[in-house]
Amino acid sequence: MYGLDEILPDVLNAMYGLDEMPVIRLEETVWLACQEYFVLDQEDGRLRDLWRREAARDLGRMFDVLSDLGAVELTRGPADPLYTSDLDHDDQLLPPDAVERLRTALAEPDLPLARLTPLGVGGVRERLLAEGRDASLLGELATAPPAELLGVLAQHYPPEDAVAELRGWLARPGQDLERLLQAVRDCPFRTRAGAMLRVLADSLPSERRLLHDLCHDPVLGPVVWTQLIDVGELEPGSLSERENLLMGAESFLSVLELAGA
C-alpha cells in the first residue's frame, strides 16, 4: 500500500509504552492515514473495501517482518477494555463506519495482538529523542511518590504513555488508587490538583466513572464538578446552593493562582 512506509513511524509511536495492542485498532488508523495519499470514489464502496483490506494485509506483512527482526511480539487474545473505552467520545477522529467495525471486532475473544519488544521500545525511543520529542522511559516512575507521579504525568506524558506508566505504578504492592486520590486532596494548588485529577481519570479504563464516584468527596467535589461541567456530563443547575458557592470559591482560587492578587 502506497504511503505505508511513511506511516510506519506513527504506527510504532502509537504502540510505544502500551501492552498488547489489537492489530485491528491499528488497521483502522492506518487506513485513515492511507486515504490521504490517493483519491477514492466515495460512491464505489467495493473499491474502498478492497483498498482497506489491502492496507490491512500490508500492515500484517509489516508486523511479520518486524517480528522476525525481534522488534515486535505477535500474540492472540482478547482486547483490553482500554481500546473500546474511547469509541463513544465526541472528539472521536475515526469515521462512524470504522467505529462500528471496531466495536464488533474488539468484542471477539481471540484477536491478533501486537506489542513492541524491549528492542523495539529502545529503537522507537532513540528515534523520538533524535527528533527532539519527549520520550519518557516507561517504568521510571514505578516507585515515585503519588504526587510526583501525577504531576509528571500531567505535565510531560502523552496520554498513551500516561496510561502505561499509571498501570505500572498501580501494579506494585501497596500502591493503589486511594493513595493517588489522597495526593490530589493534599495538593494546596487548585489548578495543579485539577490537572492531577484529570490525568488520573483519563488514564483509567473507567474514565468518567471515577469522577462521578467522587462527586460527593468533601475535598475533591468542586474540582470534580468543574471537570464534569466542562465535558457536558453535569448541568450547573443540578448543583445545590452550597455546591454552587463551593464552585465559585474554586473558580476564584484558580484565578488567584493564575493571575495573582
Side-chain angles (χ1 to χ4, degrees), residues 228-245:
L228 288 176
I229 289 173
D230 287 345
V231 297
E233 294 186 18
L234 183 67
E235 292 295 330
S238 66
L239 298 176
S240 67
E241 182 179 357
R242 178 178 180 277
E243 289 169 342
N244 273 299
L245 288 172

Side-chain angles (χ1 to χ4, degrees), residues 13-18 82 138 157-165:
N13 291 349
M15 297 172 65
Y16 186 75
L18 295 177
L82 168 71
L138 297 176
Y157 276 58
E160 61 272 15
D161 289 356
V163 170
E165 195 70 63

Side-chain angles (χ1 to χ4, degrees), residues 87-88 95-105:
L87 294 181
D88 294 320
D97 60 323
V99 171
E100 288 307 311
R101 283 195 298 269
L102 282 174
R103 203 186 307 278
T104 300

